Amino acid sequence: REAMHINSSLTALGKVVLALSSGDEHVPYRDAKLTRLLKNSLGGNSYTVLLCALNPASEHHDESINSLQFAHRCSHVQTQPKVNYENVDPAEQQQRIIKLSNEVGSLKSQLDTLHAHYQKQLEAVGGPDYARQLGPVERSEADLSDAEYEVSVRRGAAKGSEHGSAGLPSVGFGSLLAGAGAGAGAAAGAGAGAG
């Protein structure tokens, strides 16, 4: 059931990108929650980045082609982000800076108070030397030189890759969402707005 919702959202996203890239007057943003959320990112005042995940295996050929076609359509979508300036009086701006600086100082003092409180609780439970006591992992790493530590990290990474990254199959995003149409295997992410 959840896969059906994901597939319908990706299909709606494909329709929106197709409408934006072809210059249609009507863009169906309201067809899915995903497209409603991405409305300002896809055709609005922001920079948008698209990441396309592909799998070179031959059994994922169709999904990879669909993903590339979707990414190609996305590359034709034109946005014109502009920086939004507020017309603010310099005196107001200075007051706002002072207010925000005071707020940051207040939050820092609250954080310090909380840190001291929890520090006392930890010392009550673990004793005054709890911070200097190393656990078994830290103790073994502290005994190694820098070069030995790097070798042990590489061995651990090699063991993980031997087992298929902790037993996970190597599949592309597109194969996980089989049947999603043109949008399968592609994910759109919105960058920060220009304002």
Side-chain angles (χ1 to χ4, degrees), residues 99-174:
K99 178 184 170 196
L100 291 174
S101 296
N102 291 339
E103 186 178 344
V104 167
S106 170
L107 291 173
K108 280 184 179 180
S109 67
Q110 287 178 10
L111 185 63
D112 290 341
T113 304
L114 284 173
H115 179 71
H117 171 73
Y118 287 114
Q119 186 76 18
K120 287 179 185 176
Q121 285 186 343
L122 286 172
E123 286 177 3
V125 172
D129 291 337
Y130 85 95
R132 283 183 239 131
Q133 296 170 358
L134 299 177
V137 173
E138 293 88 358
R139 219 176 294 124
S140 66
E141 290 175 359
D143 294 337
L144 298 177
S145 69
D146 289 340
E148 292 170 331
Y149 178 72
E150 287 180 21
V151 169
S152 70
V153 169
R154 285 190 199 124
R155 279 191 201 134
K159 284 182 184 176
S161 64
E162 289 172 6
H163 302 297
S165 297
L168 296 175
S170 174
V171 294
F173 182 66

Side-chain angles (χ1 to χ4, degrees), residues 4 14 40-41 44 47 50 62 88 141 144 147 150 177 192:
M4 287 174 39
N40 292 330
S41 301
Y47 292 101
L50 175 91
D62 294 336
V88 180
E141 290 175 359
L144 298 177
E150 287 180 21
L177 300 173

Side-chain angles (χ1 to χ4, degrees), residues 7 30 36 40 45 48-49 53 66-67 70-71 74 76 90 101 103 105 117 124 154 156 159 165 167 184 186:
N7 288 343
R30 298 181 71 184
R36 267 185 258 145
N40 292 330
N45 189 22
T48 305
V49 176
N66 285 341
S67 298
F70 179 72
C74 288
H76 288 40
S101 296
E103 186 178 344
H117 171 73
R154 285 190 199 124
K159 284 182 184 176
S165 297

